[in-house]
Amino acid sequence: MCLDNLPSFPQIESLAPSEIEKKSMELIRSELSFRKIVLDAENEPTIMRCIHASADFDYAANLVFSHGAVQKIKRILGEEKPVIVTDTNMALSGISASVCRMHGIEKVCFMADDDVRSESEKSGLTRAACSVDKAARIFGSDARRPVVFAVGNAPTALVRIRELYDAGIFRPEFVIGVPVGFVNVVQAKELILQSGMDYVVARGRKGGSTIAAAIINSFLYQL
């Protein structure tokens, strides 16, 4: 295959790979200024990365941070070698593997595990809820392994996290609650907002696996 004589498209700006993200962030800042949106300085990197991942400026308004959330999650990720538990393999793949290795962070997704599938079929719970139960069984008794949940798809995972928390069975160190959709999504997010746990939540119906990964990465890139 000869690639020497491919056509060029004048309307497409030619940028090196390293320049594309920088240019994107410049354009986001310009549009935020045009919209007269001023971001909180501490939360700005996370909000910017969510906008970058989605091209959706609503994240400037709908991301909610618990008090001191950014400093807490940066300390957990940078110093405590946590486990990040996702509810999709897409989110798992999107989280920076190189930065996780650098800081001794483990990332896992149990959604496709045979025991989770079997437990879901027996109990009638969703796989997402059973995945939370599995995380609690594996990591809940080890205080040296703090757990960070990154939920971008399944509101039932958030519901189960709150149920275990209220029952005193399992308390994650941090919850990223950004499932996308229509059924029980808003209500499940409110359960986290009202829980007393530390969190970043995308209030409303928007979110997704790419947003969950973007939020985690926004903190990892600040370490």
Side-chain angles (χ1 to χ4, degrees), residues 134-143 145 147 169-170:
K134 182 170 183 176
R137 287 195 304 271
I138 294 175
F139 305 117
S141 61
D142 187 354
R145 299 299 306 277
V147 173
I169 296 171
F170 181 54

Side-chain angles (χ1 to χ4, degrees), residues 11-108:
Q11 70 271 29
I12 301 299
E13 186 175 3
S14 179
L15 293 170
S18 61
E19 297 176 313
I20 293 173
E21 181 174 311
K22 180 181 177 182
K23 181 63 179 292
S24 295
M25 292 301 184
E26 290 173 356
L27 291 170
I28 291 169
R29 290 185 190 281
S30 177
E31 186 157 344
L32 286 169
S33 177
F34 176 78
R35 294 169 180 245
K36 295 182 170 50
I37 297 172
V38 178
L39 302 179
D40 178 86
E42 187 171 62
N43 301 337
E44 180 180 301
T46 303
I47 297 169
M48 292 280 289
R49 191 143 302 268
C50 289
I51 295 171
H52 180 254
S54 63
D56 188 342
F57 283 82
D58 283 356
Y59 287 104
N62 68 15
L63 277 188
V64 183
F65 297 73
S66 60
H67 179 71
V70 172
Q71 291 306 312
K72 172 149 192 181
I73 189 61
K74 285 167 62 177
R75 177 179 56 77
I76 293 168
L77 294 172
E79 301 175 12
E80 299 186 11
K81 302 184 188 311
V83 180
I84 300 171
V85 181
T86 71
D87 68 329
T88 65
N89 281 300
M90 181 184 292
L92 184 74
S93 297
I95 294 169
S96 175
S98 60
V99 181
C100 284
R101 283 194 300 270
M102 189 185 307
H103 293 277
I105 299 166
E106 183 180 359
K107 55 174 185 163
V108 298

Side-chain angles (χ1 to χ4, degrees), residues 50 78 116 149 162 164-165 178:
C50 289
V116 168
F149 278 105
R162 176 66 189 268
L164 297 181
Y165 173 81
V178 293

Side-chain angles (χ1 to χ4, degrees), residues 4 13 25 45 54 61 66 77 94 100-101 105 110 113 121-123 126 128 138 146 148 173 176 194:
D4 294 336
E13 186 175 3
M25 292 301 184
S54 63
S66 60
L77 294 172
C100 284
R101 283 194 300 270
I105 299 166
F110 299 132
D113 291 3
E121 291 173 352
K122 287 190 295 185
S123 67
T126 66
I138 294 175
V148 175
E173 286 298 303
I176 294 167
Q194 299 165 10

Side-chain angles (χ1 to χ4, degrees), residues 118-180:
S118 177
E119 181 59 29
S120 176
E121 291 173 352
K122 287 190 295 185
S123 67
L125 296 172
T126 66
R127 288 195 190 191
C130 293
S131 292
V132 172
D133 288 348
K134 182 170 183 176
R137 287 195 304 271
I138 294 175
F139 305 117
S141 61
D142 187 354
R144 298 169 300 175
R145 299 299 306 277
V147 173
V148 175
F149 278 105
V151 178
N153 186 67
T156 54
L158 297 184
V159 174
R160 194 62 167 176
I161 291 167
R162 176 66 189 268
E163 288 173 343
L164 297 181
Y165 173 81
D166 285 354
I169 296 171
F170 181 54
R171 175 173 181 149
E173 286 298 303
F174 205 90
V175 178
I176 294 167
V178 293
V180 60

